[in-house]
PDB file of all heavy atoms in Angstrom:
ATOM      1  N   ARG A1308      -5.086 -19.294 -47.824  1.00  0.00           N
ATOM      2  CA  ARG A1308      -5.924 -18.943 -48.957  1.00  0.00           C
ATOM      3  C   ARG A1308      -6.524 -17.561 -48.738  1.00  0.00           C
ATOM      4  O   ARG A1308      -6.576 -17.063 -47.622  1.00  0.00           O
ATOM      5  CB  ARG A1308      -7.044 -19.981 -49.136  1.00  0.00           C
ATOM      6  CG  ARG A1308      -6.542 -21.396 -49.279  1.00  0.00           C
ATOM      7  CD  ARG A1308      -7.692 -22.353 -49.613  1.00  0.00           C
ATOM      8  NE  ARG A1308      -8.717 -22.351 -48.588  1.00  0.00           N
ATOM      9  CZ  ARG A1308      -8.646 -23.090 -47.493  1.00  0.00           C
ATOM     10  NH1 ARG A1308      -7.599 -23.853 -47.263  1.00  0.00           N
ATOM     11  NH2 ARG A1308      -9.623 -23.063 -46.610  1.00  0.00           N
ATOM     12  N   SER A1309      -7.017 -16.945 -49.792  1.00  0.00           N
ATOM     13  CA  SER A1309      -7.639 -15.627 -49.668  1.00  0.00           C
ATOM     14  C   SER A1309      -9.084 -15.777 -49.232  1.00  0.00           C
ATOM     15  O   SER A1309      -9.705 -16.819 -49.393  1.00  0.00           O
ATOM     16  CB  SER A1309      -7.581 -14.893 -51.010  1.00  0.00           C
ATOM     17  OG  SER A1309      -8.294 -15.623 -51.983  1.00  0.00           O
ATOM     18  N   GLY A1310      -9.628 -14.694 -48.667  1.00  0.00           N
ATOM     19  CA  GLY A1310     -11.023 -14.679 -48.259  1.00  0.00           C
ATOM     20  C   GLY A1310     -11.204 -15.040 -46.805  1.00  0.00           C
ATOM     21  O   GLY A1310     -10.418 -15.770 -46.231  1.00  0.00           O
ATOM     22  N   PHE A1311     -12.258 -14.497 -46.190  1.00  0.00           N
ATOM     23  CA  PHE A1311     -12.532 -14.812 -44.801  1.00  0.00           C
ATOM     24  C   PHE A1311     -13.988 -14.507 -44.493  1.00  0.00           C
ATOM     25  O   PHE A1311     -14.681 -13.859 -45.249  1.00  0.00           O
ATOM     26  CB  PHE A1311     -11.628 -14.002 -43.857  1.00  0.00           C
ATOM     27  CG  PHE A1311     -11.683 -12.522 -44.086  1.00  0.00           C
ATOM     28  CD1 PHE A1311     -12.685 -11.752 -43.509  1.00  0.00           C
ATOM     29  CD2 PHE A1311     -10.751 -11.906 -44.888  1.00  0.00           C
ATOM     30  CE1 PHE A1311     -12.732 -10.392 -43.717  1.00  0.00           C
ATOM     31  CE2 PHE A1311     -10.803 -10.542 -45.097  1.00  0.00           C
ATOM     32  CZ  PHE A1311     -11.781  -9.789 -44.520  1.00  0.00           C
ATOM     33  N   SER A1312     -14.442 -14.985 -43.314  1.00  0.00           N
ATOM     34  CA  SER A1312     -15.778 -14.670 -42.820  1.00  0.00           C
ATOM     35  C   SER A1312     -15.717 -14.564 -41.321  1.00  0.00           C
ATOM     36  O   SER A1312     -14.770 -15.038 -40.700  1.00  0.00           O
ATOM     37  CB  SER A1312     -16.786 -15.745 -43.227  1.00  0.00           C
ATOM     38  OG  SER A1312     -16.463 -16.969 -42.612  1.00  0.00           O
ATOM     39  N   THR A1313     -16.734 -13.948 -40.718  1.00  0.00           N
ATOM     40  CA  THR A1313     -16.733 -13.804 -39.272  1.00  0.00           C
ATOM     41  C   THR A1313     -17.248 -15.042 -38.577  1.00  0.00           C
ATOM     42  O   THR A1313     -17.119 -15.176 -37.381  1.00  0.00           O
ATOM     43  CB  THR A1313     -17.614 -12.614 -38.848  1.00  0.00           C
ATOM     44  OG1 THR A1313     -18.937 -12.824 -39.354  1.00  0.00           O
ATOM     45  CG2 THR A1313     -17.070 -11.330 -39.413  1.00  0.00           C
ATOM     46  N   SER A1314     -17.859 -15.924 -39.286  1.00  0.00           N
ATOM     47  CA  SER A1314     -18.329 -17.171 -38.691  1.00  0.00           C
ATOM     48  C   SER A1314     -18.026 -18.306 -39.643  1.00  0.00           C
ATOM     49  O   SER A1314     -17.436 -18.118 -40.698  1.00  0.00           O
ATOM     50  CB  SER A1314     -19.823 -17.095 -38.395  1.00  0.00           C
ATOM     51  OG  SER A1314     -20.546 -16.864 -39.577  1.00  0.00           O
ATOM     52  N   ALA A1315     -18.415 -19.514 -39.263  1.00  0.00           N
ATOM     53  CA  ALA A1315     -18.050 -20.684 -40.044  1.00  0.00           C
ATOM     54  C   ALA A1315     -18.576 -20.572 -41.469  1.00  0.00           C
ATOM     55  O   ALA A1315     -19.697 -20.147 -41.719  1.00  0.00           O
ATOM     56  CB  ALA A1315     -18.625 -21.922 -39.379  1.00  0.00           C
ATOM     57  N   ASP A1316     -17.739 -20.979 -42.439  1.00  0.00           N
ATOM     58  CA  ASP A1316     -18.140 -21.037 -43.837  1.00  0.00           C
ATOM     59  C   ASP A1316     -19.263 -22.065 -43.964  1.00  0.00           C
ATOM     60  O   ASP A1316     -19.142 -23.206 -43.545  1.00  0.00           O
ATOM     61  CB  ASP A1316     -16.933 -21.452 -44.674  1.00  0.00           C
ATOM     62  CG  ASP A1316     -17.197 -21.338 -46.169  1.00  0.00           C
ATOM     63  OD1 ASP A1316     -18.349 -21.543 -46.568  1.00  0.00           O
ATOM     64  OD2 ASP A1316     -16.234 -21.054 -46.911  1.00  0.00           O
ATOM     65  N   LEU A1317     -20.382 -21.669 -44.590  1.00  0.00           N
ATOM     66  CA  LEU A1317     -21.542 -22.540 -44.655  1.00  0.00           C
ATOM     67  C   LEU A1317     -21.299 -23.781 -45.504  1.00  0.00           C
ATOM     68  O   LEU A1317     -22.044 -24.759 -45.431  1.00  0.00           O
ATOM     69  CB  LEU A1317     -22.743 -21.758 -45.197  1.00  0.00           C
ATOM     70  CG  LEU A1317     -23.245 -20.623 -44.301  1.00  0.00           C
ATOM     71  CD1 LEU A1317     -24.408 -19.908 -44.984  1.00  0.00           C
ATOM     72  CD2 LEU A1317     -23.660 -21.138 -42.930  1.00  0.00           C
ATOM     73  N   THR A1318     -20.236 -23.754 -46.345  1.00  0.00           N
ATOM     74  CA  THR A1318     -19.940 -24.906 -47.176  1.00  0.00           C
ATOM     75  C   THR A1318     -19.097 -25.922 -46.432  1.00  0.00           C
ATOM     76  O   THR A1318     -18.866 -27.014 -46.948  1.00  0.00           O
ATOM     77  CB  THR A1318     -19.203 -24.470 -48.444  1.00  0.00           C
ATOM     78  OG1 THR A1318     -17.918 -23.927 -48.093  1.00  0.00           O
ATOM     79  CG2 THR A1318     -19.998 -23.424 -49.204  1.00  0.00           C
ATOM     80  N   ARG A1319     -18.635 -25.605 -45.256  1.00  0.00           N
ATOM     81  CA  ARG A1319     -17.782 -26.504 -44.502  1.00  0.00           C
ATOM     82  C   ARG A1319     -18.581 -27.184 -43.401  1.00  0.00           C
ATOM     83  O   ARG A1319     -19.693 -26.800 -43.077  1.00  0.00           O
ATOM     84  CB  ARG A1319     -16.613 -25.719 -43.882  1.00  0.00           C
ATOM     85  CG  ARG A1319     -15.763 -24.955 -44.883  1.00  0.00           C
ATOM     86  CD  ARG A1319     -14.746 -24.099 -44.173  1.00  0.00           C
ATOM     87  NE  ARG A1319     -13.780 -24.900 -43.438  1.00  0.00           N
ATOM     88  CZ  ARG A1319     -12.928 -24.405 -42.546  1.00  0.00           C
ATOM     89  NH1 ARG A1319     -12.964 -23.126 -42.259  1.00  0.00           N
ATOM     90  NH2 ARG A1319     -12.075 -25.187 -41.927  1.00  0.00           N
ATOM     91  N   ALA A1320     -17.934 -28.210 -42.804  1.00  0.00           N
ATOM     92  CA  ALA A1320     -18.544 -28.860 -41.652  1.00  0.00           C
ATOM     93  C   ALA A1320     -18.597 -27.873 -40.499  1.00  0.00           C
ATOM     94  O   ALA A1320     -17.826 -26.914 -40.445  1.00  0.00           O
ATOM     95  CB  ALA A1320     -17.710 -30.081 -41.274  1.00  0.00           C
ATOM     96  N   PRO A1321     -19.516 -28.069 -39.549  1.00  0.00           N
ATOM     97  CA  PRO A1321     -19.544 -27.194 -38.368  1.00  0.00           C
ATOM     98  C   PRO A1321     -18.177 -27.173 -37.702  1.00  0.00           C
ATOM     99  O   PRO A1321     -17.507 -28.212 -37.614  1.00  0.00           O
ATOM    100  CB  PRO A1321     -20.602 -27.851 -37.473  1.00  0.00           C
ATOM    101  CG  PRO A1321     -21.462 -28.608 -38.413  1.00  0.00           C
ATOM    102  CD  PRO A1321     -20.560 -29.099 -39.507  1.00  0.00           C
ATOM    103  N   PRO A1322     -17.732 -26.008 -37.247  1.00  0.00           N
ATOM    104  CA  PRO A1322     -16.395 -25.923 -36.659  1.00  0.00           C
ATOM    105  C   PRO A1322     -16.282 -26.754 -35.390  1.00  0.00           C
ATOM    106  O   PRO A1322     -17.154 -26.699 -34.527  1.00  0.00           O
ATOM    107  CB  PRO A1322     -16.222 -24.429 -36.365  1.00  0.00           C
ATOM    108  CG  PRO A1322     -17.612 -23.883 -36.317  1.00  0.00           C
ATOM    109  CD  PRO A1322     -18.416 -24.713 -37.253  1.00  0.00           C
ATOM    110  N   LYS A1323     -15.204 -27.529 -35.318  1.00  0.00           N
ATOM    111  CA  LYS A1323     -14.937 -28.291 -34.109  1.00  0.00           C
ATOM    112  C   LYS A1323     -14.336 -27.400 -33.043  1.00  0.00           C
ATOM    113  O   LYS A1323     -14.552 -27.598 -31.845  1.00  0.00           O
ATOM    114  CB  LYS A1323     -14.002 -29.456 -34.422  1.00  0.00           C
ATOM    115  CG  LYS A1323     -13.793 -30.430 -33.277  1.00  0.00           C
ATOM    116  CD  LYS A1323     -12.982 -31.631 -33.740  1.00  0.00           C
ATOM    117  CE  LYS A1323     -12.803 -32.638 -32.612  1.00  0.00           C
ATOM    118  NZ  LYS A1323     -12.022 -33.814 -33.071  1.00  0.00           N
ATOM    119  N   THR A1324     -13.553 -26.410 -33.490  1.00  0.00           N
ATOM    120  CA  THR A1324     -12.898 -25.482 -32.565  1.00  0.00           C
ATOM    121  C   THR A1324     -13.060 -24.062 -33.077  1.00  0.00           C
ATOM    122  O   THR A1324     -12.745 -23.781 -34.238  1.00  0.00           O
ATOM    123  CB  THR A1324     -11.394 -25.804 -32.422  1.00  0.00           C
ATOM    124  OG1 THR A1324     -11.231 -27.175 -32.071  1.00  0.00           O
ATOM    125  CG2 THR A1324     -10.752 -24.911 -31.370  1.00  0.00           C
ATOM    126  N   ALA A1325     -13.535 -23.193 -32.225  1.00  0.00           N
ATOM    127  CA  ALA A1325     -13.632 -21.772 -32.559  1.00  0.00           C
ATOM    128  C   ALA A1325     -12.534 -21.008 -31.831  1.00  0.00           C
ATOM    129  O   ALA A1325     -12.182 -21.345 -30.699  1.00  0.00           O
ATOM    130  CB  ALA A1325     -14.995 -21.220 -32.159  1.00  0.00           C
ATOM    131  N   VAL A1326     -12.014 -19.987 -32.488  1.00  0.00           N
ATOM    132  CA  VAL A1326     -11.059 -19.075 -31.864  1.00  0.00           C
ATOM    133  C   VAL A1326     -11.736 -17.712 -31.792  1.00  0.00           C
ATOM    134  O   VAL A1326     -12.024 -17.103 -32.829  1.00  0.00           O
ATOM    135  CB  VAL A1326      -9.742 -18.988 -32.645  1.00  0.00           C
ATOM    136  CG1 VAL A1326      -8.751 -18.073 -31.919  1.00  0.00           C
ATOM    137  CG2 VAL A1326      -9.135 -20.378 -32.837  1.00  0.00           C
ATOM    138  N   LEU A1327     -12.017 -17.267 -30.578  1.00  0.00           N
ATOM    139  CA  LEU A1327     -12.724 -16.011 -30.352  1.00  0.00           C
ATOM    140  C   LEU A1327     -11.700 -14.905 -30.128  1.00  0.00           C
ATOM    141  O   LEU A1327     -11.010 -14.870 -29.107  1.00  0.00           O
ATOM    142  CB  LEU A1327     -13.641 -16.136 -29.141  1.00  0.00           C
ATOM    143  CG  LEU A1327     -14.443 -14.891 -28.753  1.00  0.00           C
ATOM    144  CD1 LEU A1327     -15.405 -14.508 -29.869  1.00  0.00           C
ATOM    145  CD2 LEU A1327     -15.194 -15.134 -27.454  1.00  0.00           C
ATOM    146  N   MET A1328     -11.580 -13.998 -31.074  1.00  0.00           N
ATOM    147  CA  MET A1328     -10.590 -12.931 -31.025  1.00  0.00           C
ATOM    148  C   MET A1328     -11.228 -11.704 -30.377  1.00  0.00           C
ATOM    149  O   MET A1328     -12.141 -11.094 -30.937  1.00  0.00           O
ATOM    150  CB  MET A1328     -10.067 -12.637 -32.425  1.00  0.00           C
ATOM    151  CG  MET A1328      -9.490 -13.873 -33.096  1.00  0.00           C
ATOM    152  SD  MET A1328      -8.892 -13.594 -34.768  1.00  0.00           S
ATOM    153  CE  MET A1328      -7.359 -12.716 -34.437  1.00  0.00           C
ATOM    154  N   MET A1329     -10.727 -11.350 -29.200  1.00  0.00           N
ATOM    155  CA  MET A1329     -11.318 -10.275 -28.399  1.00  0.00           C
ATOM    156  C   MET A1329     -10.442  -9.027 -28.442  1.00  0.00           C
ATOM    157  O   MET A1329      -9.222  -9.098 -28.304  1.00  0.00           O
ATOM    158  CB  MET A1329     -11.479 -10.727 -26.948  1.00  0.00           C
ATOM    159  CG  MET A1329     -12.335 -11.964 -26.766  1.00  0.00           C
ATOM    160  SD  MET A1329     -12.526 -12.430 -25.026  1.00  0.00           S
ATOM    161  CE  MET A1329     -10.817 -12.667 -24.548  1.00  0.00           C
ATOM    162  N   ASN A1330     -11.091  -7.889 -28.628  1.00  0.00           N
ATOM    163  CA  ASN A1330     -10.384  -6.608 -28.634  1.00  0.00           C
ATOM    164  C   ASN A1330     -11.396  -5.511 -28.327  1.00  0.00           C
ATOM    165  O   ASN A1330     -12.587  -5.774 -28.188  1.00  0.00           O
ATOM    166  CB  ASN A1330      -9.690  -6.373 -29.980  1.00  0.00           C
ATOM    167  CG  ASN A1330      -8.436  -5.521 -29.863  1.00  0.00           C
ATOM    168  OD1 ASN A1330      -8.331  -4.670 -28.989  1.00  0.00           O
ATOM    169  ND2 ASN A1330      -7.482  -5.746 -30.747  1.00  0.00           N
ATOM    170  N   MET A1331     -10.916  -4.272 -28.251  1.00  0.00           N
ATOM    171  CA  MET A1331     -11.810  -3.170 -27.927  1.00  0.00           C
ATOM    172  C   MET A1331     -12.703  -2.790 -29.098  1.00  0.00           C
ATOM    173  O   MET A1331     -13.822  -2.319 -28.925  1.00  0.00           O
ATOM    174  CB  MET A1331     -11.014  -1.952 -27.462  1.00  0.00           C
ATOM    175  CG  MET A1331     -10.193  -1.258 -28.536  1.00  0.00           C
ATOM    176  SD  MET A1331      -9.271   0.153 -27.898  1.00  0.00           S
ATOM    177  CE  MET A1331     -10.599   1.251 -27.406  1.00  0.00           C
ATOM    178  N   GLY A1332     -12.215  -2.972 -30.325  1.00  0.00           N
ATOM    179  CA  GLY A1332     -12.974  -2.580 -31.498  1.00  0.00           C
ATOM    180  C   GLY A1332     -12.868  -1.099 -31.780  1.00  0.00           C
ATOM    181  O   GLY A1332     -12.161  -0.348 -31.097  1.00  0.00           O
ATOM    182  N   GLY A1333     -13.597  -0.661 -32.785  1.00  0.00           N
ATOM    183  CA  GLY A1333     -13.588   0.743 -33.161  1.00  0.00           C
ATOM    184  C   GLY A1333     -14.730   1.025 -34.120  1.00  0.00           C
ATOM    185  O   GLY A1333     -15.231   0.112 -34.794  1.00  0.00           O
ATOM    186  N   PRO A1334     -15.174   2.271 -34.201  1.00  0.00           N
ATOM    187  CA  PRO A1334     -16.286   2.612 -35.084  1.00  0.00           C
ATOM    188  C   PRO A1334     -15.898   2.467 -36.549  1.00  0.00           C
ATOM    189  O   PRO A1334     -14.918   3.047 -37.001  1.00  0.00           O
ATOM    190  CB  PRO A1334     -16.591   4.072 -34.729  1.00  0.00           C
ATOM    191  CG  PRO A1334     -15.321   4.606 -34.148  1.00  0.00           C
ATOM    192  CD  PRO A1334     -14.662   3.451 -33.464  1.00  0.00           C
ATOM    193  N   ALA A1335     -16.672   1.689 -37.295  1.00  0.00           N
ATOM    194  CA  ALA A1335     -16.376   1.477 -38.708  1.00  0.00           C
ATOM    195  C   ALA A1335     -16.796   2.668 -39.560  1.00  0.00           C
ATOM    196  O   ALA A1335     -16.238   2.899 -40.630  1.00  0.00           O
ATOM    197  CB  ALA A1335     -17.073   0.215 -39.203  1.00  0.00           C
TER     198      ALA A1335
END
Side-chain angles (χ1 to χ4, degrees):
R1308 304 187 300 276
S1309 61
F1311 54 84
S1312 65
T1313 57
S1314 60
D1316 189 328
L1317 294 178
T1318 65
R1319 303 174 65 192
K1323 188 173 182 180
T1324 307
V1326 183
L1327 179 63
M1328 304 179 75
M1329 302 181 301
N1330 209 330
M1331 70 181 296

